[in-house]
Amino acid sequence: MRVRLGLVIPAQTAGLFRRAMSRVEGVEPAWAVYSDESTISTALQGVLGGCDALCFAGPLPLESARALIPVGMPYAAIRPASLDLTMCLLKARTLGLELAPLTVDTASVDLVEDVIGELGLGADAIEVLPFDPLTPPEDIAAFHRERGAAIGARYAVTARNTVFRLLDGATDVPVIRLVPSASAIASVAKELALRAVSVRKEDQHLCAAVFELRSTSGEPADLTATAKAAEVLNRSAGWQKAWIEAKTAGQVLVLGNKGLMEDLTSQWHSLEVLADMSAACGHPVIAGFGLGQTAQECLQCAVQAADRAALAGPSCAFMMSSAGMVVGPMGPDSPGTPLRFRFRAEEGLVEDLSRTTGLGVSTLTQVAALESRLAGMSVTADQLGAHLDLAATSGRRIIRSLREHELVVVTGSSQPSARGRPKRLYRLDVARRLAGAVF
């Protein structure tokens, strides 16, 4: 399934973006290239039709065209990162310049402080002007001239093309462009492609998996062993549909959708590929799966799940979601083993309630986590479905089952509009039956 990705980029960095996108498979780029910042919206309008997601070259094009982004369409802006600023400093060094003092625009103060701290430069040797969409290019150029003169800056770093044109050749110091790396562009494009696929299929959501090689000696596994483990995934049936990357020594990152990951784990029951990975790389392998609303949330949950798996055994996996659900352990040997949910003190509570109500264990755990977040507030059946990322009909089915088993309390009714029937309000009462649970 190909994704049409709109890229809103300045002409000055078009070559960089085209090189980066040549590394991304399954994505059809739609180029919205602008030469002047005042034409950003016009450039986007020319390619917007048919796009599944939008990638902006920085915060400026995003803010300039935000009003044009269709509701629900995935989008992201590539923002300055530590590596990008470090590359600017390296370029200054190759030009024979001292690393500091200097002036920087668009980057955040925290980012700049992190970089200069690592390099041992004094904070008073760098002046930073964070991004503000209301600041005109002329004022940014004035910042570089005035503050640069005040601190004796050896050069200026800018992420704004208009500012570069205003300063280049018009000041006594060199001007260096702050641009993203090709790998950062490709990474954002891959994330957007996965998000677009998830939006296109409502019943599928982004899921991240982290596989970690655990050396018996305590030393981290080397890159060769990590590559072997990643190759097993690439050869295994079903995993080819996911994006697989040997992220660092001892760690393999996998991004896919929830439906795919559920299929590959037999609905979170087992993970047979762990045994093959361990045999290929010569190390025990554990895994963590993460579910969330964004790629960052998914990855955070996956790392936490991997840490939990490391405590459970030498070759197993856990799944965690941003909604508070924890599933595991999943082993390589027993696909028929029932799921165990590690967010309660007593074993069997959720499983028993699942058998009683006819609702799935996963559904019950999500309802219980939602009850905790609602803190006594009432919801309609449709709202329950929306909170759980389910259709309204599924929400009504769950409410019927909960009512039959006295797991909700009717608190009144709501009629948000003059037309239509009132909708009954319910307060969830599942946690009471799961005494000892920790959500």
Side-chain angles (χ1 to χ4, degrees):
M1 179 183 296
R2 291 186 66 82
V3 171
R4 191 166 192 261
L5 178 64
L7 291 110
V8 187
I9 63 172
Q12 294 83 352
T13 56
L16 169 64
F17 273 81
R18 292 183 189 277
R19 288 197 304 274
M21 291 306 298
S22 68
R23 309 175 182 178
V24 183
E25 297 180 357
V27 174
E28 176 189 347
W31 300 103
V33 182
Y34 59 90
S35 298
D36 188 89
E37 293 174 356
S38 63
T39 63
I40 292 174
S41 294
T42 303
L44 175 57
Q45 287 173 330
V47 303
L48 189 55
C51 283
D52 299 302
L54 296 173
C55 178
F56 296 87
L60 176 69
L62 170 60
E63 294 304 326
S64 300
R66 186 183 290 275
L68 298 177
I69 302 174
V71 176
M73 177 176 287
Y75 66 89
I78 301 174
R79 300 180 183 275
S82 299
L83 176 61
D84 307 329
L85 182 57
T86 303
M87 293 302 294
C88 289
L89 298 179
L90 179 60
K91 185 174 182 179
R93 177 58 58 86
T94 61
L95 293 174
L97 302 172
E98 296 180 38
L99 291 184
L102 72 150
T103 54
V104 183
D105 68 52
T106 305
S108 69
V109 174
D110 290 342
L111 182 148
V112 175
E113 288 181 348
D114 288 344
V115 172
I116 64 175
E118 289 294 327
L119 295 176
L121 302 175
D124 56 350
I126 299 181
E127 287 281 343
V128 184
L129 182 66
F131 174 74
D132 183 343
L134 300 180
T135 304
E138 293 77 13
D139 289 357
I140 300 175
F143 156 80
H144 283 288
R145 286 192 296 266
E146 296 168 7
R147 296 309 305 158
I151 66 172
R154 302 297 186 264
Y155 57 101
V157 174
T158 180
R160 298 282 294 271
N161 291 291
T162 300
V163 174
F164 182 88
R165 289 197 300 268
L166 291 172
L167 292 177
D168 191 33
T171 63
D172 296 331
V173 298
V175 185
I176 298 175
R177 293 182 190 271
L178 177 60
V179 296
S181 64
S183 60
I185 296 170
S187 177
V188 172
K190 290 174 182 177
E191 177 189 338
L192 283 169
L194 290 170
R195 288 171 57 191
V197 170
S198 296
V199 169
R200 196 183 290 176
K201 297 182 177 182
E202 293 183 1
D203 61 336
Q204 296 183 344
H205 298 276
L206 185 62
C207 180
V210 172
F211 290 82
E212 294 185 0
L213 284 60
R214 297 296 174 118
S215 172
T216 54
S217 65
E219 296 295 325
D222 58 30
L223 285 172
T224 301
T226 306
K228 290 180 180 179
E231 182 58 26
V232 171
L233 288 177
N234 281 309
R235 294 197 314 263
S236 300
W239 289 95
Q240 301 96 328
K241 299 177 183 178
W243 176 54
I244 301 169
E245 180 182 1
K247 193 71 174 175
T248 59
Q251 187 178 87
V252 179
L253 172 64
V254 180
L255 292 177
N257 58 61
K258 177 186 175 185
L260 174 63
M261 297 300 190
E262 286 179 334
D263 290 342
L264 294 172
T265 59
S266 301
Q267 305 301 309
W268 308 122
H269 279 83
S270 66
L271 190 58
E272 295 175 299
V273 76
L274 285 177
D276 294 334
M277 295 176 71
S278 295
C281 69
H283 297 282
V285 180
I286 54 95
F289 293 83
L291 292 173
Q293 296 301 313
T294 66
Q296 183 177 9
E297 281 187 0
C298 290
L299 185 56
Q300 289 174 343
C301 291
V303 171
Q304 292 172 3
D307 290 341
R308 179 64 185 85
L311 298 175
S315 185
C316 70
F318 270 73
M319 187 277 284
M320 291 187 178
S321 77
S322 58
M325 183 168 60
V326 183
V327 185
M330 295 173 266
D333 304 321
S334 50
T337 302
L339 300 176
R340 290 199 288 268
F341 288 77
R342 299 287 182 175
F343 49 77
R344 72 246 190 264
E346 298 181 34
E347 294 288 336
L349 288 175
V350 178
E351 288 89 343
D352 291 344
L353 193 58
S354 175
R355 287 191 289 268
T356 301
T357 61
L359 296 174
V361 173
S362 174
T363 298
L364 282 172
T365 58
Q366 291 183 72
V367 170
L370 174 62
E371 178 184 343
S372 177
R373 295 201 306 273
L374 290 174
M377 293 190 297
S378 300
V379 293
T380 66
D382 291 357
Q383 289 170 338
L384 175 67
H387 278 296
L388 302 181
D389 290 327
L390 299 172
T393 52
S394 297
R396 291 192 286 271
R397 176 183 60 80
I398 293 171
I399 284 291
R400 282 197 300 271
S401 181
L402 294 176
R403 286 192 66 185
E404 290 172 4
H405 296 88
E406 300 180 347
L407 295 172
V408 293
V409 177
V410 178
T411 58
S413 61
S414 171
Q415 188 166 9
S417 62
R419 303 179 63 181
R421 298 172 57 187
K423 296 183 178 182
R424 191 162 292 173
L425 291 167
Y426 302 91
R427 177 170 52 80
L428 301 175
D429 195 27
V430 176
R432 175 180 54 84
R433 291 280 292 274
L434 297 176
V438 179
F439 298 98

